[in-house]
Structures are given as C-alpha cells and as structure tokens.
Amino acid sequence: MRVVVIGGTGLIGSRVVATLRDQGHDAVAASPDTGVNTLTGQGLADVLQGASVVIDVSNSPSFEETKVMDFFTTSTRNLLKYAAMAGVRHYVALSVVGTERIPDSPYLRAKNAQESLIKSGGIPYSIVHATQFFEFMKRIADEATDGTTVRLPPVLIQPMAADDVAQAVGRVALSAPLNGMVEVAGPQQFRFDELIRQDLRERDDRRIVVTDPHARYFGAELGERSLVPGNDARLGEIRLEDWSRRPVLAK
Ligand SMILES: NC(=O)c1ccc[n+]([C@@H]2O[C@H](COP(=O)([O-])OP(=O)(O)OC[C@H]3O[C@@H](n4cnc5c(N)ncnc54)[C@H](OP(=O)(O)O)[C@@H]3O)[C@@H](O)[C@H]2O)c1
C-alpha cells in the first residue's frame, strides 16, 4: 500500500516511514527537503498519485501565533484538496492531547483549526492525539526559561517516546478510518515541574526549576489534568528511565 507521510523527514515522520517500510508498505517521506511543500502545494499532486493513505505529521517551523495558524490551516486545506483529487481513502493527522481544552495556547488553537478542517474535509479520517514527547522536554524547558530560572506548574503530565508515537500512528494508519480521535500516551504520569527538573539534572543543566501554578505553557495556564488523556488512551511501552538510558544517538 502506498502511504505518503507529510513531514516524513521529521522526528515522528522518519520513524513512521521506517515502521511502515518494515511492514512491507510503500511509505514515502514528503517534506520541503524532498520537494513537497504543503504551504504552496508544490509536489503534492505527484507524490499523492496512487496513495491510499496520507499521514500528516508535519510541524510549523514557527510557533508564533499568526504563523502557526497560517501553517496548519493553509497546509491542511492544500493537503485535503490534493488528497481528494488523488482518491486518498484515509487521512491521518497527529495532534496533541488536550488541544480542545487549552484555548489560550496559540499553538493548540492552530492544531484545533487543523482538526476542524479535517473533520469537515470529506475524506475518511483519523486524528491521533499524543501527549508530550520525551524528545520535546528540552524545548519545553527552553520555552519556560527566564535567565537561569525555569517556571513550570506542578500539574500532571504523561509523556511518551517518539518511537511509541510512531508505532501508534502507523497502527492507526493501517486500520479502518475512525472518523474520530484516539488518544495515545506514555505508561507513567509525572508532575510537570518535577519531570523537567529531573531531565535538566540528567543533562547537567544548571537551570533551576521553580514550581509556579500560574506559569504558562506555550501561552496557556494549565489545570491539574489539562495535559493527561482520558481512560481510553492507548499507552506506549517505553518508560522514561529506559529512554533516558539510551545513548544520545538512539534517542
Ligand atoms: N512535540 C510534542 O511533544 C508533540 C506532542 C503531540 C503532538 N505533536 C505533533 O507532532 C507533529 C510532528 O512533530 P515533530 O516533532 O515530529 O516535528 P518536526 O520534527 O519538527 O518535523 C516537522 C516536519 O514537518 C515538515 N515540514 C515543515 N514545513 C513543511 C511544509 N511547508 N510542507 C511539508 N512539510 C513541512 C518538516 O520538513 P523539513 O525537515 O523538510 O523542513 C519536517 O519533516 C506536529 O504536528 C505536532 O503538533 C507534538
């Protein structure tokens, strides 16, 4: 089966392509690097020819409010249009657990807009909501840093490894369209401030994590359970301590 992975050169996309190829599918990585640009439409008609499934795991190069909204809405409109023309039978997209309940975050508002377009786009679809990736912890710390201080709220978080995300996305893509959303998460819950404190300690990063219930996460105040999934979430297998022990190149 031909499966086109938009953002197939990225953190999740490269892993999705690998897992699908391992299972014998004709998985194609599509991104500006391979001549496919969803913002302009360049290369979409060609790459989608003969594709049964399209998986969108692309990400906006900028998280600035206007740019991120433009990225997810323009690229999704283009992708839906070209996928419909190519007769794609299943449209899969990766989004974030809690997207619908954190409207103060410009990034998540853009992901919400992406999801609305997909739902009304006329192609059978599946939306995968994942929790924060282990690989994203450093970016979280950087975003919350002021000088040598990192401010984070003590709310619950259930992060997961990129490898588990890719497995979950691959599985959904090879199943019948859900015409709905499924949540995936890691096998353990943590307190957000403590998780990042531990991660910085392991990196010998001297920044101090200050617990602040009102600290904003990419622009939004969080409630106790804003970031954690419901009871039906499919859980990954990779525990944080096992992922942390991996050599840098295997992360
Ligand atoms: N970070 C988290 O904790 C988290 C949690 C849940 C869900 N997610 C979702 O996971 C998804 C993937 O994230 P990621 O970390 O794997 O992203 P990433 O590593 O930053 O990769 C982004 C990919 O998008 C491609 N891309 C950028 N602009 C494009 C364009 N105009 N046309 C086509 N492709 C384009 C990039 O291609 P080039 O390399 O060629 O530029 C790259 O392949 C995102 O949608 C995000 O919302 C993230």
Side-chain angles (χ1 to χ4, degrees), residues 12 56-57 92-96 111 114 127-130 133 165 169:
I12 302 301
D56 184 7
V57 285
V92 179
L94 181 58
S95 189
V96 188
K111 294 296 289 183
Q114 174 191 21
I127 294 170
V128 179
H129 273 193
F133 312 153
V165 179
V169 169

Side-chain angles (χ1 to χ4, degrees), residues 6-13 30-34 36-40 56-61 71-72 75 94-97 107 111 114 128-134 136 140 165 217:
I6 305 291
T9 55
L11 174 71
I12 302 301
S31 76
D33 257 4
T34 70
V36 179
N37 190 328
T38 47
L39 277 179
T40 61
D56 184 7
V57 285
S58 65
N59 207 359
S60 173
F71 179 86
F72 281 115
S75 64
L94 181 58
S95 189
V96 188
V97 163
Y107 184 83
K111 294 296 289 183
Q114 174 191 21
V128 179
H129 273 193
T131 55
Q132 287 63 40
F133 312 153
F134 294 154
F136 196 56
I140 289 173
V165 179
Y217 173 61

Side-chain angles (χ1 to χ4, degrees), residues 88-193:
V88 164
R89 295 196 296 269
H90 190 184
Y91 188 112
V92 179
L94 181 58
S95 189
V96 188
V97 163
T99 291
E100 67 288 356
R101 55 177 180 261
I102 315 179
D104 287 349
S105 157
Y107 184 83
L108 294 182
R109 275 204 300 277
K111 294 296 289 183
N112 230 343
Q114 174 191 21
E115 292 185 29
S116 298
L117 288 167
I118 294 167
K119 287 174 193 164
S120 59
I123 301 176
Y125 69 91
S126 302
I127 294 170
V128 179
H129 273 193
T131 55
Q132 287 63 40
F133 312 153
F134 294 154
E135 290 79 356
F136 196 56
M137 289 192 287
K138 184 174 179 303
R139 174 100 188 248
I140 289 173
D142 292 349
E143 173 72 18
T145 294
D146 182 10
T148 55
T149 304
V150 182
R151 286 188 182 277
L152 287 166
V155 299
L156 291 172
I157 185 166
Q158 199 169 331
M160 65 192 298
D163 284 340
D164 273 343
V165 179
Q167 288 295 331
V169 169
R171 234 173 267 137
V172 167
L174 298 178
S175 306
L178 297 166
N179 292 315
M181 181 270 283
V182 62
E183 289 185 319
V184 300
Q188 303 157 280
Q189 282 191 354
F190 302 89
R191 292 278 162 193
F192 201 0
D193 54 337

